[in-house]
Amino acid sequence: MRLTGYLLTAFIIGLVSLIGFSCMAILISGQKIVQLDQYVISFIQGFESPTLTSIMKFFTYVGSFPIVFGIFIIVAFILYFVLKHRSELLLFGTVVIGTPIINQVLKQFFHRVRPDLHRLIEIGGYSFPSGHAMNALAVYGILSFLLWRHIPSRLCRTTLIIISTIIVFMIGTSRIYLGVHYPSDIIGGYFASGFWLTISIYFFRRYKEKRNAREN
């Protein structure tokens, strides 16, 4: 895919994510998705078992601040000191640091109270959009983008995408299973993070395109 193809793809995904988040925000503000949210929560929690609860707590921990912060430190060190990819470090830092800031701004704007149906863990704060969902897509999404460009094998690239997708999906599902988020919180979080991630990549690629043009 040519560079212009990357830019077009990022722009389209960003636009779709923005429209998707806007639709979720409208549905939530109008209380038009409550019954569906409760149905999905009941369905997922219907599979409750000690083993599954342990698995879901594990994936919730994978999407928590300590893990995200640890990944950030390790990747930042590798990009800066080992690979000397300073511009990629700027992109990575912008996405990872910007995501929780955007999440808190959105939560303070919507003020949605967390579900109180059957909680398996206790947590405070507002519900929409899910911080875990946003962080998961942002962190594992940007990691996939950065690694993809340095992996020559199609099989390894496919494996990377599959593993990243499973992790992101399971982190989101774990929040529903544990009773601390509505499904619409998770979907809204994915859309919000998808917009931020793709727009960041879009401007990064435009910057790289202009720099390459000047050098040539």
Side-chain angles (χ1 to χ4, degrees):
M1 183 182 293
R2 296 184 305 167
L3 183 57
T4 52
Y6 278 112
L7 294 176
L8 180 60
T9 301
F11 177 80
I12 292 174
I13 295 175
L15 181 61
V16 170
S17 297
L18 179 60
I19 294 172
F21 179 81
S22 300
C23 291
M24 293 304 303
I26 292 171
L27 290 173
I28 289 170
S29 298
Q31 299 291 313
K32 299 181 183 299
I33 201 170
V34 176
Q35 290 186 341
L36 180 59
D37 271 335
Q38 293 177 345
Y39 172 80
V40 175
I41 291 175
S42 298
F43 175 78
I44 292 177
Q45 290 188 333
F47 297 95
E48 182 181 345
S49 70
T51 301
L52 187 57
T53 298
S54 298
I55 293 173
M56 291 302 181
K57 285 182 177 180
F58 167 77
F59 278 104
T60 274
Y61 182 67
V62 169
S64 65
F65 175 78
I67 297 298
V68 170
F69 182 73
I71 292 174
F72 175 78
I73 295 298
I74 293 172
V75 175
F77 178 86
I78 293 174
L79 289 175
Y80 190 87
F81 293 104
V82 179
L83 300 178
K84 310 294 184 182
H85 292 163
R86 310 295 164 79
S87 60
E88 292 186 354
L89 174 58
L90 179 61
L91 171 65
F92 180 73
T94 299
V95 170
V96 175
I97 295 174
T99 300
I101 296 174
I102 295 172
N103 177 255
Q104 287 303 311
V105 170
L106 292 173
K107 282 187 173 182
Q108 292 302 318
F109 179 81
F110 287 100
H111 281 196
R112 191 186 197 189
V113 179
R114 291 182 184 274
D116 193 19
L117 301 175
H118 176 50
R119 291 192 188 181
L120 299 180
I121 61 174
E122 289 300 323
I123 187 173
Y126 293 116
S127 187
F128 180 82
S130 165
H132 270 67
M134 286 189 66
N135 286 329
L137 184 58
V139 172
Y140 296 100
I142 195 60
L143 279 176
S144 296
F145 172 77
L146 294 175
L147 291 173
W148 175 280
R149 301 168 65 241
H150 302 289
I151 297 177
S153 168
R154 177 174 296 181
L155 176 61
C156 291
R157 283 182 169 185
T158 302
T159 302
L160 170 67
I161 297 302
I162 291 175
I163 292 175
S164 298
T165 301
I166 291 174
I167 292 175
V168 172
F169 174 77
M170 288 303 300
I171 289 174
T173 303
S174 73
R175 305 303 282 173
I176 301 172
Y177 176 90
L178 295 172
V180 294
H181 274 297
Y182 294 104
S184 54
D185 296 333
I186 305 301
I187 297 173
Y190 287 154
F191 277 134
S193 189
F195 173 75
W196 171 239
L197 175 63
T198 52
I199 290 303
S200 298
I201 292 174
Y202 173 82
F203 283 106
F204 171 76
R205 298 297 296 185
R206 285 199 62 183
Y207 161 76
K208 297 284 285 186
E209 181 182 43
K210 290 180 178 179
R211 191 177 74 172
N212 291 336
R214 287 197 303 266
E215 292 176 352
N216 296 329

